[in-house]
Amino acid sequence: MIYSDKTIGLINAAEDLAYSLSQSETGQAYRLAKQARANSRQAQDVIRDFNRIKEEYELVQRFGRYHPDYQTITKKVHEIKRALDLQEEVAQFKKAEKQLETLLGQVSLVLAGQVSPQIKVPTGNPFFDQGCAGGCSTGGSCSCSG
């Protein structure tokens, strides 16, 4: 690809946008939550426990219900997953991560929409995924007419 002045300008603008996003309140909250989770002894203990039981669960899954420890390991996985979800730093990190994901989805939709309304942007959020994506090929049943 040959880079024109316009292409270089777009790349610079994208870098500026990325920097702005990282310095935004949402970006900073994400970094702080990630650091708090990494520095929390309790969070790291629960994460380590979860990863250990997850490995056991994967071994048991090879045999499914027929493994003698299937019920025990399955119950442990659910318990440790709940403990992980309720751990304060992990919960705050997940919340900050979701907020950043939402912001990035919104930015992606704006960028794609400026190029063409038919560009599909997978945001993972049904609120933003609504509307015509241009690929239903029914020509009307989803209110797409072309």
Side-chain angles (χ1 to χ4, degrees):
M1 174 179 205
I2 298 174
Y3 289 102
S4 67
D5 289 340
K6 226 174 200 176
T7 304
I8 292 171
L10 283 171
I11 292 170
N12 289 337
E15 289 173 352
D16 291 344
L17 176 60
Y19 179 78
S20 294
L21 288 168
S22 73
Q23 297 304 309
S24 70
E25 186 177 317
T26 305
Q28 289 180 0
Y30 171 79
R31 272 196 313 282
L32 289 173
K34 184 177 180 181
Q35 184 177 14
R37 183 190 65 174
N39 293 336
S40 169
R41 175 94 175 155
Q42 284 181 324
Q44 293 308 308
D45 288 345
V46 175
I47 291 169
R48 187 174 40 263
D49 291 346
F50 177 75
N51 288 330
R52 182 185 50 77
I53 197 72
K54 187 174 84 169
E55 287 175 13
E56 289 181 41
Y57 180 76
E58 288 169 357
L59 289 172
V60 167
Q61 280 301 104
R62 290 184 12 212
F63 301 100
R65 295 182 197 182
Y66 303 107
H67 192 283
D69 294 332
Y70 177 81
Q71 293 293 332
T72 306
I73 297 297
T74 301
K75 184 177 177 183
K76 282 183 183 179
V77 166
H78 292 294
E79 289 171 355
I80 197 72
K81 176 69 170 109
R82 179 162 169 74
L84 184 65
D85 290 342
L86 293 176
Q87 205 288 323
E88 182 65 27
E89 288 82 7
V90 171
Q92 289 299 322
F93 172 74
K94 285 183 177 187
K95 180 180 176 186
E97 185 177 46
K98 186 64 178 168
Q99 289 172 341
L100 181 59
E101 182 183 320
T102 300
L103 176 61
L104 292 173
Q106 291 170 332
V107 169
S108 296
L109 284 171
V110 169
L111 292 173
Q114 288 298 312
V115 175
S116 170
Q118 279 74 38
I119 292 178
K120 298 176 188 173
V121 179
T123 63
N125 184 338
F127 176 74
F128 294 117
D129 290 343
Q130 293 175 353
C132 177
C136 70
S137 38
T138 60
S141 66
C142 71
S143 73
C144 287
S145 56

